[in-house]
């Protein structure tokens, strides 16, 4: 079969069949962005679930999955990227495009650059789309629709490299995403502010509430609709994924966390001294940011955040 215009790749291989890997498989098939989707996951049980879900051609090893693939997508935790690519590097088709979906870019680029074959084209990326769920059953084809996908191309002067970046951009657009290009250090700082710190705060608040001896767990759960439950959703995210994010974006997270701690101390002082103006001004600025997020189409203005209860 000829690769049509809509069909951007003849064969893609996805390593890691969790939430993101499964969603890419479903979206690629639904959009005809790839004719054949091959998948590999190191967990045999996940492989059989991926097969039962009809995600694509499920392979018993990563070398078989990447053999003949025009695009290889690494959808494993950030800390496993280097070893996942190393395990199948020799089986890559010459000139294959290799990308990833890792939530951190600097450390992943370092790990992948050390093992990627010289004739492959490494174009790192990160979809700004996800949920707190993991595993192949959590995947859905519409995950990337209307969401940003950030590509962090490398300073690669080969003429075929620029074409590979354009082709990968077309692939993500076919999956419904908006695509932006950015350098890796900038990506890591922006994501430290918009994703990594909010997750750290949520993990901390939820763990703290569990620890508090003066409030019983049942009361925390009973009254959670007053705000706490929104943190519990974020804090339900996969512990392996988030451990790897913080171990691999250490510098940017610590820098943003330093600023956050100073501002929190200022809020603490305002509360202690009854400084209502400072509190009001900050809350007002924060509320305006919420409006901007909704206007940018990144959340719903529906009452109760679109929840039915
Ligand atoms: P997930 O649902 O936990 O799936 C990851 C899968 O990869 C698991 O089945 C895992 O198996 C498998 N795996 C681990 N090491 C492997 C290896 N060496 N070879 C093959 N498979 C391997 O995770 P996810 O949420 O899809 O996240 C995948 C990547 O996407 C991460 O890098 C994350 O930073 C990024 N990301 C996630 C989100 C999100 O919201 N979740 C959003 C954007 C980007 P085991 O369970 O046995 O380890």
């Amino acid at each position: 079969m000829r690769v049509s215009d809509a069909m951007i790749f003849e064969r893609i291989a996805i390593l890691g069949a969790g939430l993101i890997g499964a969603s890419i498989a479903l979206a690629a098939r639904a959009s005809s962005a790839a004719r054949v989707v091959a998948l590999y996951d190191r967990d045999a049980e996940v492989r059989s679930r991926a097969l039962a879900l009809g995600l694509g051609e499920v392979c018993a090893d990563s070398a078989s999955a990447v053999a003949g693939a025009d695009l290889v997508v690494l959808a494993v935790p950030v800390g496993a990227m280097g070893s996942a690519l190393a395990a199948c590097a020799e089986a890559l088709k010459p000139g294959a495009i290799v990308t990833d979906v890792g939530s951190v870019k600097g450390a992943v680029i370092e790990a992948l650059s050390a093992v990627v074959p010289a004739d492959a084209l490494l174009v790192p990326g990160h979809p700004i789309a996800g949920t707190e769920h993991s595993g192949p059953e959590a995947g859905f084809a519409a995950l990337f629709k209307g969401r940003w996908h950030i590509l962090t191309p490398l300073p690669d002067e080969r003429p075929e490299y620029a074409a590979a970046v354009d082709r990968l951009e077309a692939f993500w657009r076919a999956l419904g995403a908006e695509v932006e290009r950015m350098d890796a250090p900038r990506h890591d700082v922006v994501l430290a502010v918009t994703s990594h710190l909010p997750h750290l705060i949520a993990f901390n608040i939820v763990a703290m509430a569990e620890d508090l001896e003066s409030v019983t767990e049942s009361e925390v759960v009973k009254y959670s609709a007053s705000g706490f439950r929104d943190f519990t959703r974020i804090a339900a995210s996969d512990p392996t994924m988030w451990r790897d994010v913080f171990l691999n974006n250490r510098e940017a997270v610590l820098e943003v966390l330093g600023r956050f701690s100073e501002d929190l101390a200022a809020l603490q002082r305002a509360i202690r001294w009854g400084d209502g103006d400072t509190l009001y001004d900050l809350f007002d600025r924060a509320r305006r940011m919420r409006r901007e997020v909704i206007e940018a189409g990144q959340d719903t203005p529906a009452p109760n955040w679109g929840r039915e209860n």
Side-chain angles (χ1 to χ4, degrees):
M1 185 178 161
R2 203 177 67 84
V3 179
S4 71
D5 286 348
M7 195 168 283
I8 294 146
F9 292 105
E10 167 66 21
R11 176 186 171 94
I12 68 168
I14 300 169
L15 306 184
L19 163 71
I20 301 292
S23 297
I24 295 170
L26 292 168
R29 289 158 66 90
S31 65
S32 309
R35 193 174 72 81
V36 178
V37 176
L39 295 111
Y40 167 74
D41 194 286
R42 70 168 181 183
D43 185 334
E45 208 226 317
V46 168
R47 289 202 297 275
S48 37
R49 279 152 55 199
L51 189 64
L53 288 163
L55 295 182
E57 182 187 304
V58 179
C59 301
D61 56 79
S62 56
S64 314
V66 305
D70 313 292
L71 171 68
V72 175
V73 184
L74 293 148
V76 300
V78 161
M81 293 285 180
S83 57
L85 181 58
C88 60
E90 284 184 7
L92 287 179
K93 180 178 167 178
I97 300 173
V98 176
T99 192
D100 75 295
V101 293
S103 307
V104 174
K105 295 277 54 88
V108 167
I109 289 171
E110 200 176 309
L112 294 181
S113 299
V115 293
V116 72
D119 59 5
L121 300 155
L122 176 61
V123 187
H126 176 207
I128 313 301
T131 72
E132 66 278 24
H133 304 297
S134 312
E137 292 79 9
F140 56 101
L143 177 63
F144 310 108
K145 279 223 161 71
R147 299 282 169 243
W148 288 103
H149 186 83
I150 299 178
L151 289 178
T152 56
L154 304 178
D156 189 323
E157 299 297 328
R158 288 175 289 176
E160 62 270 32
Y161 189 78
V165 179
D166 289 346
R167 201 169 167 202
L168 188 59
E169 176 164 338
F171 175 78
W172 281 102
R173 287 196 190 282
L175 268 51
E178 302 278 346
V179 180
E180 186 124 314
R181 299 179 189 190
M182 202 182 271
D183 66 43
R186 184 171 171 78
H187 167 279
D188 287 353
V189 172
V190 170
L191 268 292
V193 176
T194 57
S195 170
H196 306 169
L197 188 66
H199 276 83
L200 194 69
I201 292 166
F203 288 130
N204 191 43
I205 287 184
V206 174
M208 181 199 75
E210 204 218 355
D211 257 8
L212 279 181
E213 283 170 4
S214 55
V215 184
T216 70
E217 200 183 314
S218 58
E219 273 173 325
V220 172
V221 172
K222 184 174 171 185
Y223 300 118
S224 61
S226 52
F228 182 69
R229 74 172 183 189
D230 293 308
F231 286 102
T232 62
R233 187 188 63 73
I234 298 176
S237 300
D238 186 65
T240 304
M241 169 185 158
W242 284 99
R243 178 204 61 198
D244 283 9
V245 166
F246 291 112
L247 292 180
N248 288 281
N249 198 21
R250 192 169 20 190
E251 258 176 54
V253 168
L254 288 177
E255 193 182 316
V256 174
L257 191 57
R259 169 66 196 266
F260 175 82
S261 307
E262 282 173 25
D263 291 358
L264 192 62
L267 270 181
Q268 199 175 2
R269 203 171 43 242
I271 294 169
R272 175 169 297 119
W273 295 107
D275 180 356
D277 290 347
T278 297
L279 295 175
Y280 183 91
D281 288 348
L282 186 133
F283 299 160
D284 191 45
R285 262 172 47 212
R287 187 163 65 169
R288 268 184 270 136
M289 180 62 102
R290 170 73 190 158
R291 274 186 228 126
E292 281 179 35
V293 168
I294 291 168
E295 278 161 22
Q298 297 302 301
D299 206 348
T300 165
N304 210 15
W305 294 278
R307 283 205 183 89
E308 283 169 11
N309 53 53

